[in-house]
Amino acid sequence: MPEAVVLAAAALLLFLAVVGAMPPSAAVALAAAAGTVLAGVRLSRLAATGGPPTAAAGARPPTATAAGRPSDPPAGTVAAQPRHGRWSRRAALRRRVVGLLDAAVATAGLTAAVPPIVAPAHRSAVVAAGVALTGVLLGGALFLLPGRSRLDRPVRLRRVVEVVSFGVSLVFATWVLLPPGELPPAVRELTVVGAGLLAGLAGTGLADRRRRPGAALCWTGAAAVLLGLGLLLVLPVAGASDRAALLAVPPLLGGMLATATGAARLAGGDPPRPAGPVWPTVTAPAAIATVAAACHLLVVGEFDVTGMLLGLAVIPPMVVRELLSAADNRRYADRLGAQEAHFRALVSGGHDLVLLLDEALRVRWQSPAAARLFGLTDADVRDRPLPELLHPQDAPCAAGLLTGVLDGAEPTLLSARLRDGQGNWRETESTVSDQRGVVEVGALVLHVRDVGDRRRLERTVHRLAATDQLTGLANRVELLRALGSRRQLRHPSGALLVVDLHGLGGVNDAYGRAAGDVVLVEVARRLRGTVGPDELVARLTGDEFAVVTTEGPVLAFGLGDRLVAALSEPYPLPDAGPVRLAASVGLAEITDAGAEDVLRQADLARRRAVQLGRNRVEWYDGYLEEQLVRRLDLERELPGAVARGELDLVYQPVLGLIDRCPVGTEALLRWRSPVLGTVLPAELLPVAGDLDLLGELGRWVLARACRQLADWSAGSPQLWMAVNVTPRELAGTDFVERAATLLAEHGVPGERLVIEVSEPLVTEDAGTVAARLAGLRSLGVRIALDDFRPEHASLAQLRRLPIDLLKVGPELVGAADDPQRPLLDVVVSLADRLGVAVVAEQLESIGQVDRAHRAGCRYGQGFVLARPATAERVEAYFEEFPSASR
């Protein structure tokens, strides 16, 4: 902004002087004064601070970069201390240079302002003194400019020759263009010498305009300032008009501003400019000399001796410059040849194939390593589009990627299969580099490397890391990866089946682990043979497998049934007979849930299938998870329930169907958990069985029932108490002895105690159960067979076991018009023949009571007759009936 104001003011002053509104000398003096003030203020600030005006006080000194320019050093580093000393010396040198330039600008401004106030007789002497002093100050400043020693000797010599050539040509042009005979010889000679000096300054500035732009501005500005002062000195002596002095204003003002600008760049470290147009160091001097000679011939017509000598002097510097250029070219060619040989040696001996592609993706060049690495010749590759050399499946993707790079996209790694010289496909990776902006290359550069061995190793490692070594199936990690990849789909579908084998541990125990491995391999074969080709089979643990299917729920459930059927077939063993295993399958739908969540859901469904009897398939749903959480809570709270006193018994009266009077009760277990609430036997006993707590619970129930029976003996001496006992409890060697001890301890006759055994469970160990029941019969204890079913095996149990009571459920009682009535009549008739009383249980309507009574059932039990209640409520219920012998 200040420069624009000064230039505008100078233009106004020149205009006023041209139109005669003010004296030309005054306009020159005022314009020079404005430029002097602006440039002087800037130079004074630089001399005072040692840096550019925008630099903050106390800023860190710069350190040298790789390009030889200053930059900021790391704070607090020890290595920065020596650099700080060098920077201080350089800053002091720059301050001296700026001070000299400031003094030179001030002197030039005073010199331009003197003519209007000095007598005409002394003006030339004063201006000459000012020019001399300005030249001395500028020469001292230019001599101290930093950066001269950075060039090597040949470059400095070439620069000197260029400056001399330019100066000689300009001296020649000045000599021949000056009007002959109109100037005094001294003025003519002074003008020619000044032109040579100015040419040297300007030439030096032009030579350094890229490497040292700040110094170049100082050289150029000094030449312009001296040119302006020289015009002020020469024009009056040559007899020019007063207005001719206005010609000195532009170079004088421009030189001052250029000098101040160059000094500011010097103070800031004088960073180099990017490469630009090359200065015509040979053609420019020749052109100047040629144009000047042509103009002289047109105007004057002949050359004097001095002019001819000066014209001939233009030729030697140009010849020397050409010789130096030839030497430089020879050195450059030798260096380029060495670099090319080095490059070829690197490329030929490297492990990458280098390809150059044009914008049509045709191969322009391939490195010599092509024959060694891929067996490719130039005839196989040159001038062919790269996609034609790639596998058809990889070519479209590769072409799209390279086209994107041509359009400006960021280069990425290109993976594709390349056909080698033998016609085989080689797996390759290529690094793409866009070198179209490099003149020497001008193409896309591909560094192609063979990665086949690495890819095969990666696939082998992946197979080992993702495969079960015994069965060859995927492992858990690969299963989770497959589930995760399906989750990434927009609409995840399919199902996960978790398969649990039962009995594999028994095979290992009976026949050894080798036999178990044979079975596992056969299991894997059957699984793969059952599922489809697109479905993944994995082994999770020793006897757990998983299948990922893309089918919907219905077809996935059918697949689960087929898996159960296939895995349930006998497994032949080499040195033993065939063995059978059971399987349980849990199913879970694949949704957008995480892989671990889907696996957990399928595993929960598998556990449910195991609980419900194996060889079955179960779906996961939210209710199932609630049940399993409930199961976990039961397993956590049940141990110690007896010791904590959380168990209780309730009693359900058994009535005679003839007179509807109570004849006995059945003791029913209740767990009053403070955490889970009241838990019934149907939920409690399976958990107790899995935790091996049935014996503990059974002992407590039998003891508590005998004690309660003893309490009721006084009021109802003929009532009996039924206690449910599992076959596992009966199988205990001390059960009969313990029952006898409890009866004796509480003084209860044996016939008052009824032991109930579930008929479906008796078949598990029928011989032992029959022996224990016989022992109980010897004590007088009566035996009841619960959950009786009218099947052949169940009817056989009536003859094998010592039974006193037979309990039938509502499925046999039914309704009055039930077609199964003859079957119930047969069961009652057979029981009468065997001397066994029939008890109809779970009666929930009057119709069922009447049906059981008409069929001949002696006793009945159910909610319609009496609900289970505590001992106190049952006692109150008994008081409503007179005691009777049953």
Side-chain angles (χ1 to χ4, degrees):
M1 188 65 182
E3 292 89 344
V5 174
V6 170
L7 294 176
L12 179 62
L13 292 172
L14 292 176
F15 175 76
L16 294 176
V18 169
V19 299
M22 64 181 305
S25 59
V28 172
L30 291 176
T36 301
V37 171
L38 178 60
V41 170
R42 290 186 175 181
L43 291 171
S44 298
R45 289 179 180 178
L46 292 173
T49 61
T54 57
R60 292 182 305 180
T63 57
T65 63
R69 297 299 177 188
S71 63
D72 289 340
T77 58
V78 178
Q81 299 305 322
R83 294 184 178 182
H84 180 74
R86 291 198 301 270
W87 180 85
S88 300
R89 291 192 295 273
R90 291 176 182 173
L93 177 61
R94 293 192 186 99
R95 282 195 295 270
R96 286 196 295 272
V97 170
V98 172
L100 290 173
L101 292 176
D102 191 13
V105 169
T107 303
L110 291 175
T111 302
V114 164
I117 60 177
V118 177
H122 303 289
R123 287 179 183 175
S124 296
V126 172
V127 172
V131 171
L133 181 57
T134 302
V136 171
L137 293 174
L138 289 174
L142 297 177
F143 178 78
L144 295 176
L145 287 177
R148 296 187 307 277
S149 61
R150 296 175 185 171
L151 299 176
D152 54 12
R153 184 173 298 175
V155 176
R156 286 203 300 270
L157 178 60
R158 186 172 65 251
R159 292 287 179 86
V160 171
V161 173
E162 291 173 358
V163 173
V164 171
S165 177
F166 183 68
V168 172
S169 65
L170 196 59
V171 168
F172 169 74
T174 304
W175 180 266
V176 299
L177 291 178
L178 287 175
E182 298 181 3
L183 294 176
V187 174
R188 180 183 295 274
E189 293 172 359
L190 179 62
T191 302
V192 171
V193 172
L197 293 176
L198 294 178
L201 294 176
T204 304
L206 290 174
D208 273 352
R209 71 190 187 282
R210 297 295 176 191
R211 189 176 66 88
R212 296 189 301 161
L217 283 175
C218 291
W219 285 94
T220 307
V225 169
L226 291 177
L227 174 61
L229 294 179
L231 291 175
L232 292 177
L233 177 63
V234 172
L235 290 176
V237 176
S241 64
D242 292 341
R243 291 183 179 180
L246 298 176
L247 296 175
V249 173
L252 188 61
L253 189 58
M256 290 179 178
L257 297 179
T259 302
T261 304
R265 289 187 64 91
L266 287 173
D270 201 7
R273 289 178 180 173
V278 179
W279 169 252
T281 56
V282 177
T283 58
I288 292 173
T290 301
V291 172
C295 292
H296 181 79
L297 289 175
L298 290 175
V299 175
V300 178
E302 61 181 4
F303 290 97
D304 57 6
V305 177
T306 305
M308 288 189 294
L309 292 176
L310 291 175
L312 293 174
V314 174
I315 298 176
M318 296 175 61
V319 173
V320 173
R321 178 65 181 84
E322 286 297 322
L323 293 176
L324 292 176
S325 297
D328 290 342
N329 291 336
R330 188 183 307 110
R331 287 194 300 271
Y332 177 75
D334 293 341
R335 186 167 62 251
L336 188 62
Q339 291 177 352
E340 183 177 358
H342 180 65
F343 169 75
R344 286 184 176 276
L346 291 178
V347 171
S348 300
H351 297 287
D352 290 356
L353 165 65
V354 182
L355 299 177
L356 299 186
L357 308 181
D358 59 15
E359 294 193 354
L361 301 183
R362 289 190 300 267
V363 180
R364 284 174 33 194
W365 180 83
Q366 68 171 354
S367 63
R372 175 172 55 86
L373 297 177
F374 293 93
L376 295 172
T377 63
D378 288 348
D380 298 330
V381 176
R382 290 286 294 272
D383 297 326
R384 292 185 61 186
L386 180 66
E388 291 184 3
L389 306 176
L390 303 179
H391 194 280
Q393 295 179 356
D394 302 335
C397 180
L401 187 147
L402 294 175
T403 303
V405 174
L406 291 174
D407 294 338
E410 189 70 21
T412 58
L413 195 65
L414 172 62
S415 297
R417 285 164 287 182
L418 175 69
R419 188 189 296 275
D420 62 10
Q422 289 74 38
N424 300 320
W425 294 110
R426 306 273 287 275
E427 295 185 86
T428 65
E429 280 184 355
S430 303
T431 303
V432 184
S433 177
D434 188 0
Q435 299 292 329
R436 290 177 296 167
V438 180
V439 179
E440 294 81 358
V441 182
L444 288 181
V445 181
L446 268 68
H447 292 266
V448 185
R449 64 193 64 88
D450 187 351
V451 294
D453 293 338
R454 192 188 76 191
R455 293 283 176 81
R456 284 188 290 273
L457 179 60
E458 289 176 354
R459 287 192 289 268
T460 301
V461 172
H462 174 75
R463 185 175 65 253
L464 293 176
T467 305
D468 178 66
Q469 301 305 305
L470 175 62
T471 62
L473 302 177
N475 58 15
R476 182 186 180 93
V477 175
E478 180 65 13
L479 173 69
L480 294 177
R481 187 204 62 77
L483 291 175
S485 63
R486 295 197 62 80
R487 182 190 178 192
Q488 303 302 322
L489 300 177
R490 178 174 297 181
H491 301 292
S493 61
L496 172 65
L497 297 84
V498 174
V499 183
D500 188 7
L501 285 177
H502 308 290
L504 184 62
V507 174
N508 289 331
D509 295 340
Y511 305 105
R513 186 166 295 276
D517 292 344
V518 171
V519 172
L520 287 174
V521 172
E522 176 62 17
V523 167
R525 188 192 66 78
R526 294 183 186 183
L527 289 174
R528 280 193 293 257
T530 305
V531 304
D534 297 331
E535 294 167 337
L536 175 69
V537 183
R539 184 185 180 193
L540 299 179
T541 60
D543 54 0
E544 285 190 13
F545 298 84
V547 175
V548 179
T549 178
T550 59
E551 303 294 348
V554 176
L555 295 180
F557 195 91
L559 174 61
D561 285 334
R562 294 197 301 274
L563 291 176
V564 170
L567 298 177
S568 300
E569 294 293 327
Y571 294 85
L573 295 179
D575 300 327
V579 297
R580 287 184 176 271
L581 301 179
S584 300
V585 178
L587 269 172
E589 243 183 309
I590 297 177
T591 60
D592 55 357
E596 290 284 359
D597 291 335
V598 174
L599 182 58
R600 178 185 59 82
Q601 292 170 0
D603 191 62
L604 291 176
R606 175 198 61 81
R607 294 177 58 182
R608 181 62 175 171
V610 172
Q611 293 175 3
L612 294 179
R614 304 178 179 179
N615 279 341
R616 59 186 298 135
V617 182
E618 286 293 324
W619 266 105
Y620 167 84
D621 56 26
Y623 177 68
L624 170 62
E625 186 164 3
E626 292 178 3
Q627 287 181 311
L628 292 172
V629 171
R630 171 75 172 180
R631 170 76 179 223
L632 294 176
D633 292 339
L634 291 171
E635 292 177 353
R636 183 185 65 252
E637 296 293 333
L638 183 56
V642 175
R644 295 191 299 268
E646 297 175 0
L647 298 183
D648 190 15
L649 289 181
V650 295
Y651 307 93
Q652 185 174 26
V654 180
L655 278 62
L657 295 182
I658 298 176
D659 55 6
R660 307 294 173 88
C661 291
V663 296
T665 59
E666 181 180 1
L668 302 175
L669 179 62
R670 298 291 186 269
W671 175 23
R672 315 290 186 184
S673 171
V675 176
L676 305 175
T678 300
V679 182
L680 300 180
E683 188 179 18
L684 169 63
L685 295 180
V687 178
D690 292 341
L691 297 178
D692 200 20
L693 296 176
L694 285 177
E696 180 182 359
L697 298 182
R699 287 190 293 269
W700 182 88
V701 170
L702 186 59
R704 179 65 177 271
C706 289
R707 186 176 64 186
Q708 186 62 54
L709 187 58
D711 293 341
W712 287 343
S713 297
S716 302
Q718 301 302 320
L719 291 175
W720 40 267
M721 176 82 71
V723 178
N724 288 279
V725 178
T726 64
R728 188 184 303 180
E729 292 179 78
L730 282 176
T733 56
D734 64 337
F735 184 82
V736 177
E737 181 181 352
R738 182 158 41 86
T741 302
L742 288 173
L743 292 174
E745 179 181 347
H746 295 287
V748 177
E751 64 272 10
R752 300 281 304 279
L753 179 63
V754 176
I755 297 297
E756 289 191 10
V757 183
S758 179
E759 187 275 329
L761 301 179
V762 172
T763 56
E764 295 180 3
D765 195 0
T768 304
V769 171
R772 297 293 185 270
L773 294 179
L776 292 173
R777 285 289 295 274
S778 65
L779 299 176
V781 176
R782 288 188 286 177
I783 308 300
L785 189 62
D786 197 6
D787 298 327
F788 180 78
R789 297 171 299 178
E791 299 174 356
H792 177 75
S794 301
L795 295 173
Q797 298 287 10
L798 294 179
R799 297 184 178 276
R800 185 183 305 118
L801 300 177
I803 302 300
D804 298 290
L805 297 173
L806 183 63
K807 303 187 74 171
V808 296
E811 66 276 1
L812 278 180
V813 175
D817 55 350
D818 197 316
Q820 288 190 340
R821 177 174 179 178
L823 184 58
L824 177 59
D825 294 340
V826 170
V827 173
V828 174
S829 176
L830 178 61
D832 289 341
R833 250 184 290 162
L834 296 175
V836 176
V838 178
V839 180
E841 58 180 347
Q842 301 180 26
L843 301 176
E844 297 182 358
S845 66
I846 298 299
Q848 287 181 322
V849 175
D850 294 339
R851 169 71 182 87
H853 176 59
R854 288 196 302 271
C857 296
R858 189 180 301 179
Y859 306 114
Q861 180 182 357
F863 283 2
V864 70
L865 299 176
R867 290 180 173 272
T870 60
E872 292 78 8
R873 290 182 176 272
V874 172
E875 288 180 5
Y877 176 76
F878 286 162
E879 291 178 356
E880 299 178 5
F881 300 91
S883 299
S885 176
R886 304 291 178 196

